[in-house]
Amino acid sequence: MEYFKNIGKIKYEGKQSDNPFAFKFYNPDEVVAGKTMREQLKFAMSYWHTMCAEGSDMFGVGTMSKNYGATNEMDIAKNKAHAAFELMDKLDIDYYCFHDRDIAPEGASLAESNARLDEITAILKGLMKQSGKKLLWGTANCFGNKRYMHGAGTAPNADVFAFAAAQIKKAVEITTELGGDGYVFWGGREGYETLLNTNMALEQDNMARLMRMTVDYARSIGFTGDFYIEPKPKEPTKHQYDFDTATVLAFLRKYDLNKDFKMNIEANHATLAMHTFQHELRVARDNGVFGSIDANQGDMCLGWDTDQFPTNVYDTALCMYEVLKAGGFTKGGLNFDAKTRRGSNTSEDIFLAYIAGMDAFALGLRIADKMITDGRIDKFVAERYASYQSGIGKKIVDGTATMTELEAYALNMGDVTTNISGKQEYLESVLNSIMF
Ligand code: XLS
Ligand code: CA
Ligand code: CA
């Protein structure tokens, strides 16, 4: 059965093409910065937005159907799996990501939910074998069901914690069964609405306990992928514990989990935390925890998580600059955690949205490579810090300078006589000249 009948395989046609169903910048086999674009970008499809989300919001019902011609919920799930692989094949996407509840609907009991997961996992495994597609990461949806209204790992009720642990155990098992390269923790409802009812210390200790148990269990059953935490400052809770990369790093270090986890950085979550996407990536890179990316963008005029397909090429260029500087992806990749707008309600729109996002990242990669070979920006930054390469600066960096020595140096100097311009506007124009 073919689900997207009027759409064929999307091919690269180059930027002169006006065929909406063609890539203009993403040429999978072209080598950019030493690897093929396919290897550099490692695109993934998000099962939840692409295969499941029907466009509902808090003011209205869905505008698209994701039933794939079936009526019974397990038949829908089966058809969905086949449709997902057709879509990935047509878009030439090699990876996918899912929550447990995206692939199989929750049953009346945990045992039934698990049996449903086994049934769909077997189908996905077969489809992966046929197509060569891979699982970038799996995760558990520990936020949608009402039992998680006060959180999962950070719930005040130990029974909820136990249920979440059981759900995560199964999600880790199916991720392992499918050869997943990663397992994600996203905070879901792990945060709080008011400190008047919250024991923040216990909640965070418990979250760390759950993460430690998950890592130990996953390794014991042969999971060799990476673990990720995905920072987000707010939504659904007022305050999410995994606020941003810096906050998550402090948490991981406190609980001695920093060897086990890397970051999954989402663009829209960065801007919700009042950071740029590049900032979050830089913090991760500088601290050796850069892992994977949820590619999307927010809306400058809206303060919530709109999960739009990424089309802003400045952002994708600066993102790919960080990725290249980090040495490229290892087990991570670019997962389109993005959905079409509610008004873009046809399956053609989904294809057009992926093409737009993939082309925006392909452009970003091409520009990032040019930024690095052009060298003006890197050279400027290196020269800006040149005073740390000799004399007193070198002593500071080497850790041999003392306060007394620095005082003597400053007294002798009188005052600082040279302070070179930061040239922000010039650098922004350099970036434009590289881009256009
Ligand atoms: C929600 C998150 C979520 C994670 C996976 O805002 O982006 O979709 O990526 O649970
Ligand atoms: Ca995400
Ligand atoms: Ca998001």
Side-chain angles (χ1 to χ4, degrees):
M1 164 109 179
E2 194 181 3
Y3 295 92
F4 308 101
K5 282 210 183 71
N6 43 353
I7 297 165
K9 272 207 168 212
I10 310 300
K11 301 257 166 57
Y12 171 71
E13 290 185 4
K15 70 174 180 183
Q16 308 312 332
S17 169
D18 60 5
N19 173 5
F21 292 96
F23 296 119
K24 318 297 181 299
F25 303 99
Y26 180 54
N27 186 11
D29 299 319
E30 184 181 333
V31 173
V32 177
K35 284 193 248 174
T36 63
M37 297 185 94
R38 180 192 298 285
E39 290 163 335
Q40 292 284 20
L41 294 162
K42 293 184 69 183
F43 290 131
M45 178 201 79
S46 64
Y47 218 93
W48 54 104
H49 286 311
T50 306
M51 306 317 300
C52 306
E54 298 190 326
S56 61
D57 67 13
M58 59 278 246
F59 296 99
V61 298
T63 57
M64 29 193 144
S65 163
K66 301 275 173 83
N67 286 343
Y68 306 97
T71 45
N72 167 289
E73 53 178 4
M74 276 306 279
D75 290 339
I76 294 173
K78 288 173 198 162
N79 290 2
K80 206 173 262 190
H82 289 277
F85 279 73
E86 181 189 327
L87 186 135
M88 284 189 272
D89 176 54
K90 288 184 169 171
L91 279 165
D92 210 351
I93 291 177
D94 295 333
Y95 296 86
Y96 69 110
C97 302
F98 65 71
H99 302 82
D100 49 0
R101 303 301 178 237
D102 305 333
I103 60 168
E106 186 157 7
S109 65
L110 183 63
E112 190 188 9
S113 301
N114 288 351
R116 288 175 165 197
L117 281 171
D118 287 336
E119 199 178 342
I120 303 294
T121 299
I123 295 171
L124 291 173
K125 204 173 173 183
L127 288 163
M128 288 169 76
K129 201 162 173 226
Q130 270 168 33
S131 63
K133 307 276 176 215
K134 289 169 280 223
L135 180 63
L136 191 69
W137 50 259
T139 187
N141 179 332
C142 290
F143 46 88
N145 189 288
K146 68 179 189 311
R147 82 176 68 84
Y148 296 124
M149 68 185 202
H150 302 305
T154 64
N157 176 351
D159 286 350
V160 176
F161 184 103
F163 199 104
Q167 196 182 323
I168 291 170
K169 176 175 177 286
K170 185 70 185 173
V172 164
E173 287 164 5
I174 60 171
T175 300
T176 306
E177 170 77 11
L178 294 171
D181 280 335
Y183 186 85
V184 165
F185 277 82
W186 166 59
R189 294 184 194 273
E190 316 293 20
Y192 67 82
E193 299 298 327
T194 172
L195 288 175
L196 292 173
N197 65 13
T198 301
N199 181 342
M200 185 154 81
L202 178 64
E203 292 199 357
Q204 296 215 20
D205 289 352
N206 283 345
M207 193 65 223
R209 292 181 177 112
L210 181 59
M211 289 164 63
R212 167 56 55 209
M213 281 191 259
T214 305
V215 171
D216 292 346
Y217 178 70
R219 296 302 182 215
S220 81
I221 61 163
F223 176 70
T224 55
D226 281 346
F227 288 96
Y228 305 113
I229 294 210
E230 183 179 325
K232 185 175 185 181
K234 55 190 165 190
E235 205 195 346
T237 65
K238 178 184 78 175
H239 179 92
Q240 302 271 139
Y241 291 135
D242 301 334
F243 192 94
D244 62 0
T245 303
T247 309
V248 171
L249 260 175
F251 172 90
L252 293 175
R253 286 174 181 160
K254 173 174 177 185
Y255 296 103
D256 209 20
L257 287 161
N258 47 316
K259 302 274 176 309
D260 299 296
F261 283 84
K262 295 179 180 163
M263 300 291 154
N264 181 40
I265 308 279
E266 180 177 317
N268 203 164
H269 297 180
T271 49
L272 284 177
M274 302 295 274
H275 299 310
T276 61
F277 186 20
Q278 189 188 10
H279 168 93
E280 286 292 86
L281 293 162
R282 179 71 63 91
V283 176
R285 164 158 87 87
D286 284 349
N287 289 282
V289 291
F290 168 69
S292 202
I293 289 178
D294 269 9
N296 64 14
Q297 67 187 26
D299 185 298
M300 203 175 65
C301 304
L302 301 174
W304 62 90
D305 194 19
T306 56
D307 286 343
Q308 290 168 224
F309 272 86
T311 51
N312 183 322
V313 178
Y314 280 96
D315 286 343
T316 61
L318 295 172
C319 165
M320 290 313 296
Y321 173 82
E322 296 299 325
V323 174
L324 290 180
K325 288 276 178 179
F329 290 113
T330 49
K331 295 196 172 176
L334 280 165
N335 167 46
F336 285 100
D337 192 352
K339 58 188 177 208
T340 56
R341 298 306 82 199
R342 191 167 181 267
S344 304
N345 65 336
T346 68
S347 43
E348 285 78 10
D349 286 305
I350 294 178
F351 280 83
L352 295 171
Y354 269 96
I355 292 167
M358 292 164 79
D359 267 341
F361 268 94
L363 261 174
L365 170 65
R366 291 174 188 278
I367 294 161
D369 179 41
K370 282 191 201 152
M371 283 169 71
I372 293 169
T373 47
D374 174 276
R376 274 176 290 175
I377 293 173
D378 287 338
K379 182 161 173 273
F380 185 90
V381 175
E383 283 171 2
R384 194 166 184 233
Y385 296 88
S387 63
Y388 288 97
Q389 267 156 24
S390 60
I392 197 70
K394 184 154 190 329
K395 284 188 164 182
I396 293 170
V397 170
D398 289 347
T400 57
T402 64
M403 293 299 272
T404 311
E405 187 182 1
L406 291 169
E407 183 193 40
Y409 180 90
L411 284 169
N412 182 48
M413 179 169 54
D415 199 356
V416 174
T417 50
T418 47
N419 225 343
I420 299 163
S421 164
K423 289 203 162 52
Q424 178 173 335
E425 301 77 7
Y426 161 71
L427 294 165
E428 286 166 351
S429 79
V430 168
L431 180 55
N432 276 347
S433 75
I434 294 168
M435 288 180 71
F436 303 104

